[in-house]
Amino acid sequence: MIHTLKRRFGLLGKNISYSFSKGYFTEKFSDEHFKGCSYENFDIPEINYFTGLIKNNPDLKGLNVTIPYKEQILPFLDKLSKKATLIGAVNTVKFTKNGKLKGYNTDYYGFKKSLKPLLQPHHKKALILGTGGASKGVAYALDELGILYTFVSREAKENIIDYNLINATTFDNYQIIINSTPVGTSPNIEACPAIPYEYFTKKHIAYDLIYNPEETTFLKKAKENGAVIKNGYDMLIFQAEKAWKIWNK
């Protein structure tokens, strides 16, 4: 079946030439015969350029949003889905028929669906490394899965611990460690979050939202100590397909 639609989609972000989304959707449109659909990167230096981008591209139908704009985009949107409101971050924008911009979060869905098959009864608590927009979708998914979590940042604040506090006892108490920071993304593949990797065991899951490289230094070090590891590739596919459904519903 050939779908003939003249519609433009894209990814909003900063320094996104590496991005998964453009290749994924371009291939999808070709394989599934969505004629007239295109997907491009909108690389902007700061969020204030978003208004001009919308004005200059009136035929856009949907956007994915990535680092660093998942939270910054909120004031520019007309509406938010209930879940995006609760999460406080948006990674999918739909252009409605009456020209309004509505924000959704499909990150939480992609993360939840990709983590679920790995869970065992002893996986009760998670550490989320990082407090940016991506971490908020992760936290929401963990809430839905009934897994308690604590955020880790460079500075301790209310309900957030700093990296210096992570020790052997922390690893005894937290069986899932999730990297939601960009540390370790290509080309800086030697970098990794500053945690004591020697305390990982086969009872732990190490999950990295990064998908390039396929096995980050964070995942390699966790695996060396027996942890089950998972990168962000499946999460990206699940969230992308969810975004596609939102744009077409």
Side-chain angles (χ1 to χ4, degrees), residues 18-215:
Y18 67 87
S19 161
F20 152 96
S21 301
K22 186 179 177 184
Y24 181 79
F25 278 106
T26 302
E27 196 174 305
K28 178 181 175 67
F29 296 154
S30 170
D31 291 351
E32 297 178 26
H33 306 294
F34 285 101
K35 298 229 167 203
C37 286
S38 64
Y39 194 100
E40 59 211 275
N41 285 345
F42 294 101
D43 203 315
I44 59 173
E46 58 176 63
I47 195 62
N48 290 330
Y49 284 74
F50 181 65
T51 309
L53 189 156
I54 297 305
K55 208 172 167 181
N56 297 328
N57 296 278
D59 51 349
L60 274 174
K61 300 297 179 195
L63 287 172
N64 294 120
V65 184
T66 190
I67 292 170
Y69 302 129
K70 292 184 184 193
E71 295 166 288
Q72 293 178 33
I73 197 171
L74 298 183
F76 294 85
L77 304 175
D78 301 299
K79 286 173 76 177
L80 294 180
S81 71
K82 282 179 188 169
K83 287 189 173 170
T85 303
L86 291 168
I87 293 166
V90 157
N91 73 309
T92 300
V93 176
K94 179 177 180 168
F95 293 66
T96 65
K97 283 174 185 163
N98 57 2
K100 301 287 187 189
L101 302 182
K102 185 170 180 182
Y104 297 81
N105 190 299
T106 66
D107 275 342
Y108 90 89
Y109 168 83
F111 174 74
K112 182 181 173 183
K113 196 166 176 182
S114 59
L115 176 68
K116 214 170 171 183
L118 307 179
L119 296 175
Q120 303 287 338
H122 69 272
H123 293 128
K124 304 277 189 207
K125 291 174 83 178
L127 276 188
I128 304 172
L129 311 181
T131 55
S135 74
K136 294 189 165 184
V138 166
Y140 189 85
L142 293 172
D143 272 333
E144 288 200 337
L145 290 165
I147 294 169
L148 299 171
Y149 57 85
T150 298
F151 287 105
V152 184
S153 186
R154 280 170 292 200
E155 287 178 33
K157 293 175 195 162
E158 194 182 350
N159 302 323
I160 299 172
I161 64 168
D162 69 47
Y163 284 91
N164 298 328
L165 287 176
I166 301 175
N167 55 27
T169 308
T170 318
F171 274 79
D172 285 342
N173 291 327
Y174 292 86
Q175 306 81 22
I176 308 167
I177 317 291
I178 302 148
N179 179 31
S180 77
T181 78
V183 176
T185 309
S186 180
N188 304 313
I189 60 169
E190 301 303 318
C192 60
I195 60 170
Y197 291 88
E198 65 270 24
Y199 300 127
F200 273 106
T201 69
K202 63 184 182 192
K203 289 188 172 179
H204 288 90
I205 295 170
Y207 191 117
D208 202 328
L209 267 60
I210 294 167
Y211 59 93
N212 181 17
E214 196 174 312
E215 197 170 283

